Amino acid sequence: MTKIQMTTPIVEMDGDEMTRILWKMIKDELLLPFIDLKTEYYDLGLVCRNETDDQVTIDSAMAALKYGVAVKCATITPNAARVKEYDLKEMWKSPNATIRAIMDGTVFRAPIIVKGIEPNVKTWKKPITIARHAYGDVYKASEMKIPAAGKCELAYTAEDGTETRELIHDFTGAGIIQGMHNTEKSITSFARSCFRFALDTHQDLWFATKDTISKKYDHTFKDIFQEIFDQEFKTQFEEAGITYFYTLIDDAVARVIKSEGGYIWACKNYDGDVMSDMVATAFGSLAMMTSVLVSPDGKYEYEAAHGTVQRHYYKHLKGEETSTNSVATIFAWTGALRKRGEMDSLPELQKFADDLEAATIETIENGTMTKDLALITSLENVKTVNSEDFIKAIRATLEAKRA
Ligand code: NAP
Ligand code: MG
């Protein structure tokens, strides 16, 4: 069998713990036997991030901008316990936050749908993709506890020194305040990424805020989206036969629950945080959730939505058997390979991505799956397998499909 050729490398960002183990298995079993795989490799494992003072993360993000397509393994975001565990020089920042900031991107999360793992919401037939704005609002807010009576104001000092003030509240007793911000630049990038991704995946785009209550803050989001849509995307949407739809967040929530899915739901930062967990859970499993970071000028970084599955890794280290689900990580690779194929006009590479996804889904639908899915499936006569045997079962399905 001749291997599929590639022209431009994919930026490969390796990671930590159990997902690092799966990463190698996926490459060895599902990719390298079929593709003459070209990647530019960056080791984002915590050991290497520490050794390079996190420069490797920055370099990998720059490479993603250069080549346009990256695939990332889950990585540890250090906390105090990790600083001790890995004897870190510093509590390095979340790699995802660093990459997101450099790529100025928006994260799109979508569930992988298989027969036998039914969504809790019975009307949902197609995936719902959540687009979360990943900058500002409550995540970059300043807060104060107000100890006793007194006046709180917002104050803006322009560069020329002129000051504008707005009363927040005249406290008669103790209380709390919060000041948050966003920037036109970030909201504009968010809007462009959403419209572009809708065109890319041929899905309608929904966007919702609380603009009736927040007449300046949320309304600005609404206005920027509308402006960018009218100026840059309206005709393309019409040609593609897809729509952009704005509504109030309360109305959106009600419509989502009654919908059959198949669209992108763009959310402000907090709404996206909360709603993506709700949608992921209702679709069945975090291990079946894909994630892609898209920059406003169309650069892509694919990954799984879950973490490094630390608990399974410690079992693995003790020599115990694990049954860790590799589906979302496999789909990160197929997403990247398909996009590379699209950009470089390599139909064989795109076809391979389709085949690998189909083989993965078929393997589960035929009853072979990891423990997390076996626990929630409605299928009967299920065979629960370990991490490695699941990947091997997919390989067998894939080989039969491509024979
Ligand atoms: P996690 O890795 O997502 O795992 C939490 C639990 O969810 C697991 O213990 C497991 O449950 C289940 N699970 C998640 N993915 C699974 C899979 N593929 N197959 C089977 N079960 C799966 O979250 P965490 O343990 O809270 O975080 C571990 C590390 O990941 C942390 O250091 C965190 O910083 C990092 N993290 C990274 C990313 C990223 O790189 N994008 C995202 C989130 C977290 P059971 O134990 O019940 O089997
Ligand atoms: Mg959350």
Side-chain angles (χ1 to χ4, degrees), residues 144-187:
M144 271 169 81
K145 280 194 165 192
I146 305 301
K151 195 164 74 170
C152 288
E153 290 175 307
L154 291 174
Y156 162 67
T157 314
E159 274 176 331
D160 70 1
T162 43
E163 210 175 73
T164 318
R165 283 170 179 267
E166 179 78 34
L167 180 71
I168 297 174
H169 192 64
D170 210 345
F171 285 92
T172 54
I176 40 180
I177 60 163
Q178 182 182 67
M180 59 185 193
H181 80 280
N182 223 298
T183 65
E184 264 188 35
K185 181 172 179 288
S186 175
I187 302 167

Side-chain angles (χ1 to χ4, degrees), residues 323-325 368-375 384-387 390:
S323 182
T324 316
N325 188 335
T368 302
M369 58 190 80
T370 44
K371 195 172 152 195
D372 57 308
L373 296 183
L375 287 170
T384 309
V385 290
N386 65 34
S387 309
F390 180 60

Side-chain angles (χ1 to χ4, degrees), residues 10 71 150 177 299 301 395:
I10 288 174
V71 58
I177 60 163
K299 311 284 161 73
E301 181 248 302
R395 172 150 181 195

Side-chain angles (χ1 to χ4, degrees), residues 108 129 193-202 264 292 294 300:
F108 296 85
T129 302
S193 295
C194 289
F195 289 125
R196 187 178 287 278
F197 196 69
L199 281 169
D200 228 46
T201 58
H202 213 271
I264 299 161
V292 54
V294 183
Y300 297 75

Side-chain angles (χ1 to χ4, degrees), residues 111-124:
I112 299 150
I113 307 250
V114 296
K115 278 195 219 89
I117 313 292
E118 320 299 345
N120 294 100
V121 180
K122 290 188 179 50
T123 49
W124 290 357

Side-chain angles (χ1 to χ4, degrees), residues 30-48:
L30 301 176
L31 304 176
L32 294 171
F34 303 91
I35 307 172
D36 199 6
L37 192 66
K38 267 201 171 81
T39 71
E40 190 164 297
Y41 180 87
Y42 293 86
D43 186 358
L44 266 52
L46 192 46
V47 173
C48 181

